[in-house]
Amino acid sequence: MAPIYVDLVEGKDETGTGDQNTPYRSLAQALFKHGEDADLLVRKDAAEPYDKPTKSSIKSAKKDAQGKMKKAQKALENKEKAVAVAKEKAAIELVEDPSLPAAVKAKINRLTPLRSKRVRVLGWVHRLRSQKGLIFMVVRDGTGYLQAVLAGKLSQAYDAPTLPTETSVELVGNLQAVPEGKTAPGGHELSVDYWRVIGAAPGGDDAFTTLFNESTKPDILNDLRHLVLRSETASSVLKLRSMLLSSFRQSYAEHNVLEVTPPCLVQTSVEGGATLFKLDYYGQDAYLTQSSQLYLETCLPSLGDVFCVQESFRAEKSLTRRHLSEFTHLEAELAFISFDDLMTHIEAIICDTIDRLLANPISKELISTLNENYKAPSRPFMRLSYVDAIKWLNDHGIQHAKEDAEGNPIKDEDGKEIMVDHVVGDDIAEAAERRMVDEINRPIFLYGFPVEIKSFYMKKAPGSSKGGQVFTESCDLLMPNVGEVVGGSMRISDVDELMAGYKREGIDPSPYYWFTDQRKYGTCEHGGYGLGVERFLAWIANRYTVRECSLYPRWTGRATP
Ligand code: 4AD
């Protein structure tokens, strides 16, 4: 029998094999591995030769080896038991009882009339808890949340107590109103008589619940947007968004404004070349649209007043909380109106839409969950001229950074930005605008901006030329916490004035021939506006950033997922 080597200093019990090159560390391990009759050689010091162990050390090593043996036996038994239990659970085959009444398949938000009936619900496990042998499962199907109770064999199948959330399931059972004093979503509970897993979700490191929480960094949340959408807040914002859009559509229908769907691929700019996304279009230059305004204008003689809900694109390098590279633009254009009519119409559409949302119990509930203190704004909206706003800012000590010719802030010797008062002609910056509207704390129509800070198509205000300064019939609607949500204006109706506008902005009129033609073939006084849906939603739902108000937001550098 070959001797088994034990080196009490340098040997290793876990990886040793007992030969001279890989000795064990303890006599007990050597006996445990090779049996009590093994021929042992031991040394205490690498400098000494191996020798027979003493009788007393063999005696105590034998005792330890027996302990190890028992432990190993127990571990084996436990493992076998666990495998057997798992097999048993997997083998719990649930079969739907054909003698029970046929179940009605229904979405969760349509369950109330089906109380006391057998129903079939399909969805995703949102939350799960086990209590006294019962499993309480909250299931979500996008339309709502339903609490289901699993008892007896049903609570054992599929390892139900540890079922990972986000697993998709089918549940069948009796729907019962919850007893008085107890609460459950919808006021009822499903007493399950049959269920099955449709698609399992992972547990462990990949479990949905470990992927993100309130303290997860925004970058990770942005990459996981497809899963974040499943959370209660994100889905509430998006449900409200959907209801907001349908409320707007109803308001437009009531105001006799027709929906149209203008193109996204265009060859003209509306709001200046600096924010255009350019692309190669069969060898020609084309852009993603910045605004559908010019196309809406062409619809007036054909369809009357029109609106659209269209994506607009802006190559904005601004990483602010209210800028997106792609946003949903609600735009409308109205014929034969005055500037006052335009502002009155914007206010009416917005207020009708808000009233409709607050009159509907579902959207009302969504608003109060997201924005507890939301109140419909008082009307009429405040109207503040641009010139008065400049005065207001100066009276309230709200300054702006002095800029060089390229628009970069000028700094003093200490590297601090030099702050100066506003003067007529300044483009009021986002920060100043927000401070003003937050302070006034109600919607403000800011109107009458100077011609040189506005687009080529804006109509000049009649008789507005003061001290060499020419103003336009333009307005921005500002909301507290968000700032500008709407930008609108009356449009130049005279062909010569429009040509001068192209010239002032250095625009080649030829690609705009179709837009110019509107003035040639029966012009009319007209105006319109664009409302940023994400900004408007951020205002109603009290979201910090417009990024939360878009399904898959895009901003500088981000187009994933
Ligand atoms: O003020 P803007 O640039 O006006 C226009 O595009 C006009 N042609 C619209 C029209 O008269 N039909 O944009 C209108 C609104 C803004 O008030 C803002 O709410 C939103 O569109 N908006 C943006 N929202 C998110 N990210 C951006 N980068 C946005 N740019 C504009």
Side-chain angles (χ1 to χ4, degrees):
M1 195 197 294
I4 303 297
Y5 291 87
V6 177
D7 183 328
L8 297 178
V9 180
E10 288 181 356
K12 290 200 169 61
D13 278 350
E14 302 79 42
T15 52
T17 59
D19 69 23
Q20 204 162 352
N21 294 325
T22 51
Y24 291 112
R25 178 71 159 268
S26 70
L27 290 167
Q29 182 71 2
L31 292 178
F32 171 61
K33 287 284 187 187
H34 299 273
E36 295 196 345
D37 297 331
D39 178 16
L40 303 180
L41 287 176
V42 65
R43 68 176 181 190
K44 283 189 202 126
D45 190 325
E48 280 184 19
Y50 279 99
D51 202 356
K52 294 262 177 218
T54 61
K55 274 197 178 145
S56 66
S57 64
I58 289 192
K59 198 172 161 198
S60 91
K62 273 187 180 166
K63 232 169 126 188
D64 290 350
Q66 278 160 11
K68 277 176 186 272
M69 208 81 94
K70 272 192 195 147
K71 230 169 148 185
Q73 187 69 30
K74 191 91 195 143
L76 189 66
E77 279 169 21
N78 283 345
K79 198 171 165 194
E80 280 168 357
K81 228 189 237 165
V83 170
V85 170
K87 267 193 189 156
E88 202 179 297
K89 280 182 179 162
I92 296 180
E93 210 183 303
L94 301 177
V95 184
E96 195 173 344
D97 183 348
S99 69
L100 291 172
V104 183
K105 184 177 163 194
K107 292 282 185 193
I108 292 173
N109 67 344
R110 296 287 160 89
L111 284 175
T112 305
L114 298 172
R115 283 190 190 167
S116 310
K117 294 212 167 67
R118 203 165 166 257
V119 298
R120 186 180 308 273
V121 171
L122 295 114
W124 290 264
V125 178
H126 189 65
R127 265 194 305 271
L128 192 100
R129 115 187 114 82
S130 51
Q131 198 180 25
K132 295 183 190 155
L134 295 176
I135 306 274
F136 293 89
M137 189 188 274
V138 174
V139 173
R140 184 189 76 228
D141 73 350
T143 71
Y145 300 88
L146 171 70
Q147 177 161 292
V149 189
L150 277 60
K153 198 167 117 181
L154 297 169
S155 68
Q156 295 302 316
Y158 300 107
D159 237 344
T162 56
L163 193 72
T165 56
E166 297 309 316
T167 293
S168 50
V169 290
E170 176 179 1
L171 303 171
V172 188
N174 229 301
L175 186 71
Q176 287 152 357
V178 283
E180 227 164 277
K182 289 199 171 172
T183 54
H188 40 231
E189 197 171 67
L190 189 70
S191 189
V192 176
D193 61 56
Y194 168 75
W195 74 287
R196 72 182 176 101
V197 165
I198 296 170
D205 287 349
D206 281 342
F208 187 80
T209 44
T210 60
L211 292 180
F212 60 90
N213 55 39
E214 282 100 59
S215 51
T216 304
K217 294 214 169 74
D219 260 5
I220 298 176
L221 289 177
N222 297 332
D223 287 342
L224 294 178
R225 179 75 181 158
H226 58 299
L227 297 177
V228 171
L229 292 182
R230 300 183 183 203
S231 64
E232 284 173 38
T233 304
S235 60
S236 296
V237 172
L238 292 172
K239 281 177 193 168
L240 183 59
R241 181 184 158 109
S242 163
M243 298 189 76
L244 173 68
L245 288 175
S246 51
S247 294
F248 266 123
R249 286 193 161 97
Q250 287 170 38
S251 304
Y252 281 118
E254 260 171 39
H255 283 79
N256 208 18
V257 184
L258 197 80
E259 181 164 9
V260 291
T261 51
C264 272
L265 287 168
V266 299
Q267 293 191 303
T268 44
S269 133
V270 189
E271 299 301 326
T275 60
L276 278 178
F277 277 111
K278 190 169 165 183
L279 50 107
D280 176 74
Y281 189 74
Y282 306 110
Q284 297 174 40
D285 283 350
Y287 316 101
L288 294 177
T289 188
Q290 289 174 315
S291 157
S292 301
Q293 175 198 323
L294 309 191
Y295 291 94
L296 292 186
E297 288 187 47
T298 68
C299 296
L300 296 176
S302 161
L303 305 168
D305 298 344
V306 282
F307 80 98
C308 69
V309 181
Q310 176 68 286
E311 297 297 280
S312 277
F313 303 84
R314 304 279 168 101
E316 307 242 28
K317 286 267 162 61
S318 19
L319 283 167
T320 77
R321 61 188 170 109
R322 65 177 206 181
H323 282 96
L324 293 166
S325 302
E326 174 180 352
F327 65 97
T328 304
H329 210 169
L330 184 92
E331 293 180 274
E333 205 62 33
L334 313 166
F336 302 111
I337 55 161
S338 67
F339 185 38
D340 181 64
D341 293 339
L342 176 67
M343 286 194 276
T344 305
H345 160 91
I346 296 173
E347 183 179 316
I349 288 286
I350 285 181
C351 293
D352 284 6
T353 301
I354 293 168
D355 289 349
R356 207 165 264 119
L357 285 176
L358 293 175
N360 178 320
I362 298 171
S363 40
K364 185 174 182 225
E365 175 67 25
L366 288 168
I367 293 174
S368 64
T369 312
L370 294 162
N371 188 1
E372 217 184 339
N373 301 318
Y374 183 80
K375 274 200 207 86
S378 61
R379 307 150 202 198
F381 293 169
M382 178 181 179
R383 293 187 185 186
L384 182 67
S385 79
Y386 164 87
V387 174
D388 287 344
I390 295 286
K391 186 170 177 306
W392 191 98
L393 291 171
N394 291 337
D395 289 349
H396 289 78
I398 299 173
Q399 297 183 303
H400 70 94
K402 194 172 174 182
E403 290 175 350
D404 63 17
E406 271 88 52
N408 301 311
I410 302 172
K411 296 186 175 168
D412 65 15
E413 288 159 358
D414 302 328
K416 269 179 68 183
E417 286 179 357
I418 299 172
M419 301 303 287
V420 290
D421 276 354
H422 286 87
V423 292
V424 171
D426 284 345
D427 198 354
I428 302 173
E430 182 179 332
E433 182 185 274
R434 210 165 42 228
R435 279 181 66 187
M436 180 174 77
V437 67
D438 286 357
E439 172 87 25
I440 296 174
N441 199 24
R442 52 181 289 207
I444 306 171
F445 266 124
L446 191 57
Y447 70 91
F449 295 93
V451 75
E452 62 272 19
I453 60 167
K454 286 291 172 184
S455 307
F456 71 93
Y457 55 74
M458 285 195 187
K459 189 176 162 63
K460 289 185 195 125
S464 79
S465 176
K466 288 182 195 115
Q469 192 83 52
V470 180
F471 298 92
T472 54
E473 285 191 326
S474 55
C475 61
D476 283 355
L477 179 64
L478 315 181
M479 293 300 194
N481 292 323
V482 181
E484 182 197 328
V485 297
V486 176
S489 77
M490 293 302 288
R491 323 302 191 187
I492 294 174
S493 57
D494 177 73
V495 79
D496 296 330
E497 196 184 335
L498 181 62
M499 293 323 251
Y502 291 134
K503 198 165 172 202
R504 188 188 73 235
E505 297 300 321
I507 296 170
D508 170 11
S510 44
Y512 292 81
Y513 70 93
W514 51 276
F515 180 68
T516 312
D517 270 358
Q518 297 309 306
R519 282 79 191 157
K520 198 167 141 192
Y521 293 88
T523 194
C524 69
E525 291 302 327
H526 65 288
Y529 56 92
L531 174 147
V533 170
E534 292 79 10
R535 288 192 191 176
F536 194 77
L537 185 57
W539 170 67
I540 296 195
N542 192 27
R543 295 299 96 194
Y544 176 73
T545 158
V546 289
R547 294 176 189 178
E548 280 185 72
C549 300
S550 165
L551 183 63
Y552 282 101
R554 268 80 178 96
W555 64 88
T556 319
R558 175 162 293 266
T560 319

